[in-house]
Amino acid sequence: MPAGGGLFAAIHDLVRMIPPGQVASYGMISTLVPGSTPRIVGFAMNGLPTDTDVPWQRVINASGGISPRPGSERQRIALEAEGVEFSKSGKVDWKKVAWEGPGPDWCEATGFDMVDYMSIIRHWPG
DNA sequence: CTGATGACGGTGC
DNA sequence: GGCACCGCCATCA
């Protein structure tokens, strides 16, 4: 249980909503979780156990690539297994695999401001 | 309590 | 495209 008042839980819930074959950036997630930052999102992924139901592999950096770290190859393989294609430089095509967002019903359920939401997803890559 | 750290992002050069 | 900073804030030693 995260000490930050459910901050980690909110991040995990959001990541769980990313469908297979699509990816989101740390910044995308942090923007939809008030009080979080890209670093917090990364930290929330870091604390996940190996048998988690959170599809952590679908969260990558804003450049569309996988950050170098032990196990990054495992992440790429997992994504490729879902149909995500990587360019020669190891980056994804946001236009093809960018997550569309949790949707309006999520805003209503969580109380997230709809106007802010529209503005946010409009600025997303793709 | 204080300082360091980090799966990051944006800006400026 | 790359690189160097700075800001961000929960965690941890």
Side-chain angles (χ1 to χ4, degrees):
Chain A
M1 190 69 80
L7 195 57
F8 276 30
I11 294 173
H12 293 160
D13 285 345
L14 213 48
V15 173
R16 258 190 288 264
M17 296 181 70
I18 306 176
Q22 296 183 11
V23 296
S25 75
Y26 298 93
M28 294 177 184
I29 304 298
S30 66
T31 310
L32 293 176
V33 180
S36 74
T37 69
R39 291 217 133 138
I40 303 298
V41 175
F43 212 85
M45 299 295 103
N46 184 41
L48 288 172
T50 51
D51 61 348
T52 179
D53 61 335
V54 178
W56 54 268
Q57 71 272 18
R58 294 173 197 149
V59 185
I60 61 180
N61 59 39
S63 302
I66 299 174
S67 302
R69 65 182 169 79
S72 59
E73 187 176 345
R74 182 184 57 187
Q75 181 175 6
R76 172 170 174 157
I77 292 176
L79 287 176
E80 288 179 333
E82 297 179 355
V84 178
E85 297 178 358
F86 288 84
S87 68
K88 254 186 175 179
S89 55
K91 293 179 180 176
V92 303
D93 187 352
W94 283 115
K95 287 189 176 182
K96 293 182 179 178
V97 300
W99 185 35
E100 307 160 339
D105 43 338
W106 175 86
C107 294
E108 192 168 344
T110 60
F112 197 91
D113 188 90
M114 183 67 70
V115 178
D116 290 343
Y117 176 79
M118 298 297 288
S119 177
I120 289 169
I121 65 177
R122 201 181 102 83
H123 185 262
W124 280 5

